[in-house]
Every structure is written in structure tokens, then in C-alpha cells.
Amino acid sequence: VAVVDNADVVALADAIVRGERRALARAITLVESRRADDTDTAQRLLDALLPHTGRARRVGISGTPGVGKSTFIEALGMMLLGQGKRVAVLAVDPSSPTSGGSILGDKTRMEGLAHDARAYVRPSPSGGALGGIATRTREAMLVCEAAGFDVVLIETVGVGQSEHAVSSIVDTFVLLVAPGGGDDLQGQKRGVLELVDVVVVNKADGPRVAEAQDTANHYRVAGHLLHQHRDWEPAVLLASAHEGTGLSDIWDKASAHLAHVEQRPGGLAARRAVQAERWMWASVEQALIQAVHDDVDVNAALPGALADVRAGRLSPGRAAQGLIKAFLKHRH
Ligand SMILES: Nc1nc2c(ncn2[C@@H]2O[C@H](COP(=O)(O)OP(=O)(O)OP(=O)(O)O)[C@@H](O)[C@H]2O)c(=O)[nH]1
Ligand SMILES: [Mg+2]
């Protein structure tokens, strides 16, 4: 990405704010780049875009592979376009570092959105690490906001931790589940449910309607129990992304959730402020870990430390102390 001097960055930012698609695509490529010089340019671009961000509805949509996320987003997104909203979709695939995985699948499942000038569909690499979801996807989201999209939908495959990452960058978090399997709502699913604002039992069509209703009831009970610890009881609704049913009720519930957040002390701004603080620390951690891995003195001490730890001669904690000491040696 050849954006170097400040005039280029300003020109790119202006083009994004004017809604130029190629500028948008280029900017997202820039914020996703792992090259050190791009990182600096990306930060300058984000600085320039910051005053234009924050106006979109941020909605996360998660669920196990194949539950119907992309099909659902296509149907929901088309409905929102019909209401005059502009919709951006960022699809995160934590399973592949380059997000090559389901791009094709996503684009074909979201054909209506992919071909509509008022929508934008973009795969977002997770950067290999789950923490990458929070930083890179968040930055791509900010670029979309500056480009004037009213709604940013973030699709992510649920693999446990990725739900935490995505729920920490959105206003409303939607979990898609399939009919069946609701009777043993334990462990991981229960943990995820604590983050969820709206549960959608998708594929409630054809022979699976009754089963979907049973599943919804299980989630209602679980959500109701959780409600004792939370001030929002997750709404549970049925949908068929195929038939396009349930969508407007789901959007109404998501809107009710947002209204609920708004009436808390400080409103949405307070929620986003807490999230921004978390992102900052996550970014500090990521940058520090990278710096430690890249450090000459750490790398000199590493083979010996590793050998000792593996042989049990040195505790991992002591070894870590030694590496940190080496890292800090030339820094004050
Ligand atoms: N019967 C039925 N099938 C659906 C529905 N929604 C999606 N499907 C089907 O489920 C399959 C997976 O749909 P996707 O939208 O790609 O699911 P996904 O959750 O995005 O999948 P990944 O991105 O690979 O995790 C496809 O064969 C869809 O046609 C629905 O509402 N009803
Ligand atoms: Mg998908």
C-alpha cells in the first residue's frame, strides 16, 4: 500500500469520508497490513478519520460454522437497505490467519449485499491471533463508520474466545443457534450466553419449526436465570434466513437493547468508553509481546532459557523473569 506522506493520508481520509469505495477498500487493506511502515500510516489515517467515526450501529453476529450467519446477514442487510440504511459487513474468520477461508462462501452467500452500491461486504483477517479480532476488525469497523455506513454487521465464527473479542467491540451482540441441542445448555454455551443480547434460533423453517421452538424455550430459561446477574435479559427469537421470517422482530429487539444501553448512566458513550479502554490495553499487550519476541537480547537468552525450562531445571516463571530482565536491560 503506497501511501506515504501526510498529504496522501489526508487525501485518502477525504476520499473515504466522501464514500469512495476504492478508498475504503484501500484503507481497510492498510489497517490490516502487518508491515511495520503500514502500521504507522494506518494509525495516521485512523487519526484523520476519528472525528467521522462512532455514528454507526455496531452489531456482532456469531454462531457455530454453518448455522447460517452469512445467509442471515444477507437477509437482514437487505431488509435494512430497504429501510434506507447503508450497511457494511465485516466477516471475521479466526480459523485462518489470512482469512482466506470463507471469503468466497461469504461473498456468494451475500450476493445481494455484495452487488448493492449501498452495502459493502469485506472479509476481515483476524491477524492470526484472537486478539487480532479486537484490534484489526475494530479498525476496519472505524473506517466503515467514517465512510458513512449506518450499520456495521460483524460476522464471526464462534470458537469460544472469538465471541468475547467481538462482543467487546459492538453495541449489540447476536448469537445464532440451530434448532436442537438446547437441552444441555452448559459450559461454553452458557458462558457465551452471558455476552449475548439477542439469541436467534435460525433455520426455523420446514420440518424444524417445532424443534426450533423447543430450543428457543431452553434458551429463554437459561437467559432468564442469567438475568439475575445482568440488567438485560437476552431476547430469544426464531428466524429463517432462507424464508426471511423473524428479521424485523429481531431488529426491533436489537433496537430495544440499544435503547436499554442508552438509558444506563452515561448511555452508549459509557459502554464504548469502557470498550475503548480495553482495546487500548489489548493493543499495548500485543505490541509489547511483539517487541519481546523481536528483541535481540531476549533472543540471545532464549535458547538457554528454553532448554532449562524443558529439562525442568528452571521454572517457567523464573525463566520469564530472566527474559523480561533481558528485554528491559537497554530500556529506561
Ligand atoms: N433451512 C435453512 N437453511 C439455512 C438457513 N440459513 C442458512 N441455511 C443453510 O445453512 C448452510 C450454511 O449457511 P451459511 O450462511 O453459510 O452459514 P454460516 O454460519 O455463515 O457458515 P460459516 O461462515 O461457514 O461459519 C447453507 O447451506 C445455507 O443454505 C435457514 O434459515 N434455513
Ligand atoms: Mg459465513
Side-chain angles (χ1 to χ4, degrees):
V1 183
V3 186
V4 201
D5 59 37
N6 243 353
D8 281 342
V9 172
V10 170
L12 182 56
D14 286 346
I16 291 163
V17 173
R18 281 198 304 273
E20 284 178 25
R21 233 154 225 272
R22 281 183 52 217
L24 174 63
R26 193 165 157 223
I28 295 182
T29 304
L30 183 66
V31 299
E32 286 169 350
S33 169
R34 289 150 152 303
R35 286 178 39 191
D37 47 341
D38 283 345
T39 305
D40 176 62
T41 312
Q43 288 312 321
R44 283 189 286 143
L45 177 68
L46 290 165
D47 290 343
L49 293 177
L50 200 63
H52 304 281
T53 62
R55 277 175 229 129
R57 288 273 302 270
R58 305 168 175 176
V59 180
I61 294 168
S62 189
T64 50
V67 72
K69 298 177 293 297
S70 300
T71 313
F72 177 79
I73 288 171
E74 161 82 357
L76 181 71
M78 293 307 284
M79 183 191 87
L80 295 172
L81 291 187
Q83 297 174 1
K85 298 191 175 77
R86 297 181 62 213
V87 179
V89 180
L90 300 171
V92 187
D93 181 0
S95 59
S96 72
T98 54
S99 187
S102 56
I103 302 174
L104 247 151
D106 287 334
K107 284 251 172 178
T108 50
R109 294 262 145 75
M110 298 191 241
E111 213 158 337
L113 293 177
H115 291 113
D116 195 300
R118 299 161 300 168
Y120 183 71
V121 179
R122 169 93 184 195
S124 180
S126 64
L130 285 165
I133 294 176
T135 49
R136 286 162 204 280
T137 305
R138 176 188 164 252
E139 287 169 357
M141 176 179 81
L142 295 177
V143 174
C144 290
E145 289 188 344
F149 289 97
D150 303 298
V151 180
V152 181
L153 302 174
I154 300 176
E155 172 180 343
T156 179
V157 178
V159 291
Q161 280 170 290
S162 61
E163 287 102 335
H164 281 267
V166 170
S167 73
S168 74
I169 68 170
V170 296
D171 305 325
T172 300
F173 188 50
V174 179
L175 178 71
L176 253 64
V177 299
D183 38 345
D184 57 339
L185 260 182
Q186 306 149 343
Q188 183 166 314
K189 261 190 187 164
R190 207 171 255 277
V192 169
L193 204 52
E194 293 190 30
L195 308 169
V196 173
D197 304 308
V198 181
V199 177
V200 174
V201 185
N202 190 37
K203 305 194 183 182
D205 48 39
R208 302 189 78 183
V209 175
E211 196 187 353
Q213 273 158 353
D214 280 350
T215 306
N217 285 332
H218 285 293
Y219 275 91
R220 279 190 195 108
V221 172
H224 186 68
L225 291 176
L226 279 173
H227 186 219
Q228 293 158 356
H229 317 286
R230 289 179 67 182
D231 65 349
W232 169 261
E233 180 169 334
V236 184
L237 295 154
L238 301 185
S240 166
H242 266 180
E243 296 178 352
T245 51
L247 300 172
S248 58
D249 285 349
I250 289 161
W251 192 248
D252 286 349
K253 275 294 174 200
S255 302
H257 172 258
L258 192 68
H260 173 83
V261 172
E262 284 286 19
Q263 58 79 45
R264 282 183 192 146
L268 182 62
R271 178 187 169 108
R272 287 183 171 180
V274 169
Q275 291 176 328
E277 187 178 332
R278 285 209 206 106
W279 293 331
M280 184 192 76
W281 284 114
S283 303
V284 167
E285 282 170 27
Q286 256 190 325
L288 264 180
I289 287 170
Q290 192 61 49
V292 169
H293 277 287
D294 293 346
D295 186 72
V296 177
D297 295 317
V298 169
N299 281 298
L302 195 57
L306 272 180
D308 288 348
V309 167
R310 286 194 179 130
R313 289 187 294 270
L314 185 67
S315 77
R318 275 274 172 240
Q321 277 183 335
L323 294 177
I324 298 294
K325 207 171 158 195
F327 178 66
L328 294 175
K329 198 161 73 185
H330 300 299
R331 290 166 219 267
H332 294 289

